[in-house]
Amino acid sequence: MNKINVLPGSTLNGEITIPSSKPHIQRALLLALLNEEKTTINNLSWCTETEDLLTALQQFGLQILDRSQNHITLKGAHPIYHCHGIIHANGSGMLFRISVALASLTEKEVYIKCNDSLFNRESLYDEAFFSYLNVFAEKQQENIVVVSRRIYPSQSPLNFNKSTQFLSFSLLVSPFIKGKSIIINNDSETNNGYIDITIKMMALLGSKITRIGNAFISTAYQARDIIINIPTDFTSLSYITSSILSINRPSKVTIKRYSQGNTINESVLFNIYKRFGINLEYNSTKNELNINLARERNAITGEIYLNELPSVATNIIAAAINGKGDITFSGLNAINNHKCQRAFIINENIRMMGGKSYLIFNDTGAFNKIRIHSNGPLNGGVEVFSYYDHRICASNIIASLGARERTTVNNINKLDDGFPGFIQSLSSLGARIS
């Protein structure tokens, strides 16, 4: 089954659990390779992309000492690494960028096999990223990219408007790149939350990051046994909370075993939902997060800035269109260069379902905003396409939950890349899905 029908008339109430934070897990696994001593990671959850990352890191020398469903103990290796075999990045830009960063610490070439969707993204090849790492990437036959060492005569400033992973993964390997600070383009819009997660993770191995002007400078790692407790995934939280927002009926859902991330991203997310009338309250005694929409939300207007939330932006937009009000969502340039053209597709799918939304471009023709004019639920009654992108698939389901008529959503198997149990969680809470 690769399609579902989302029927109108759902309400969401009950208790569920949701996955752990994928951004934290990705950085923790990479840090474990860079740490020559033991790294214990607790509160893990797995998806296809994370399993692929673990396999790739083992090819660079990471050892698994102990593993259970929610726990893993690892032992890293000392650079310089040797990569065994071809890295299978598939459609993961994250895995491609991590592999390129690690290629800067290897003796020989690194071979990365990608699928076609990766080569459709402008951010796959980034000269500034390569010049900091002193690597060169060349596409060969059968979608294989060969990454080799190269000394650049000058360093281009790193521009991470399209993905903060360029800065995050440069930072994580920077303690091994001696005498070279990371220069950034001051015009870049910093997604502080993801960078903050990275810096805090590096501090576990004693590396301190100092920013002076447009330069990031790191100190050396100190190998030691460390324990990393992964918080709950704020992106998966947005899947559930946006579904409540889209349906727009009184609802109460409890997230069991919720572990606070205390990140900038989480704080921004909570404040946006509060603006829509949803209350998120953490019970530290029971380790539960209660999500409560007491009554139908009022119309809201104005601008909502989503720069800190590229992984959840389409979810919030898809939910908001089923309410009332004129809202401009800004800070969207970081969502539009992934497995598909996310911003353009969510805009088109909203319009296909009977909504009114408009892309907004600046004076140079660059896109960064969407304006929605909502006047109640979408019509629905159509088939919407996800283009093999799990974020678009989730946002299509979210928009469909609040629509007036049955809507068909395709490519649901791609949800395994993000929130594997999303449809089952919705069904258990009362969503009408067939």
Side-chain angles (χ1 to χ4, degrees), residues 7-28:
L7 286 72
S10 298
T11 56
L12 300 184
N13 291 283
E15 299 178 346
I16 57 169
T17 58
I18 60 176
S20 303
S21 171
K22 193 161 70 167
H24 283 82
I25 294 170
Q26 292 166 352
R27 288 157 177 79

Side-chain angles (χ1 to χ4, degrees), residues 201-420:
M201 198 75 69
M202 294 174 67
L204 296 173
L205 290 181
S207 180
K208 181 180 178 181
I209 304 297
T210 302
R211 181 174 177 178
I212 302 174
N214 64 341
F216 286 83
I217 303 167
S218 63
T219 61
Y221 284 133
Q222 300 161 16
R224 61 181 73 156
D225 290 352
I226 58 173
I227 297 174
I228 304 174
N229 296 312
I230 304 297
T232 301
D233 185 32
F234 65 85
T235 300
S236 297
L237 174 64
S238 85
Y239 282 31
I240 300 300
T241 311
S242 292
S243 296
I244 293 171
L245 185 65
S246 179
I247 292 171
N248 199 19
R249 295 185 182 92
S251 302
K252 186 173 182 180
V253 172
T254 298
I255 308 296
K256 305 287 286 186
R257 297 193 295 278
Y258 188 87
S259 177
Q260 286 185 300
N262 296 315
T263 62
I264 295 170
N265 317 75
E266 188 180 58
S267 176
V268 171
L269 187 69
F270 279 38
N271 287 334
I272 288 174
Y273 286 128
K274 183 177 180 181
R275 186 169 173 180
F276 281 104
I278 294 184
N279 182 45
L280 295 97
E281 184 176 349
Y282 178 64
N283 186 323
S284 58
T285 303
K286 296 183 177 181
N287 289 328
E288 295 177 350
L289 182 70
N290 295 307
I291 311 169
N292 185 28
L293 179 63
R295 58 185 178 274
E296 182 177 325
R297 55 189 162 105
N298 297 322
I300 72 168
T301 59
E303 185 165 326
I304 295 178
Y305 191 57
L306 296 175
N307 189 53
E308 293 294 347
L309 300 169
S311 64
V312 309
T314 54
N315 292 345
I316 296 173
I317 296 166
I321 193 66
N322 281 313
K324 294 183 179 180
D326 293 342
I327 309 170
T328 298
F329 292 98
S330 59
L332 300 182
N333 54 339
I335 77 168
N336 206 37
N337 202 36
H338 294 266
K339 293 180 177 65
C340 67
Q341 297 287 321
R342 287 176 178 165
F344 294 100
I345 290 172
I346 189 63
N347 179 69
E348 185 61 26
N349 285 350
I350 284 172
R351 293 163 69 88
M352 187 186 302
M353 294 175 71
K356 294 181 179 180
S357 61
Y358 308 90
L359 302 175
I360 300 174
F361 301 85
N362 64 18
D363 292 341
T364 63
F367 157 80
N368 195 34
K369 296 181 181 182
I370 286 179
R371 179 173 295 137
I372 63 171
H373 299 290
S374 51
N375 189 31
L378 296 168
N379 293 329
V382 295
E383 180 173 357
V384 286
F385 298 91
S386 304
Y387 302 98
Y388 306 98
D389 185 296
H390 62 286
R391 302 262 188 253
I392 287 294
C393 183
S395 64
N396 284 340
I397 294 171
I398 289 165
S400 301
L401 284 166
R404 291 188 177 96
E405 300 178 19
R406 183 183 72 178
T407 304
T408 301
V409 180
N410 70 8
N411 300 134
I412 61 166
N413 61 316
K414 296 306 293 181
L415 288 169
D416 287 348
D417 289 346
F419 186 166

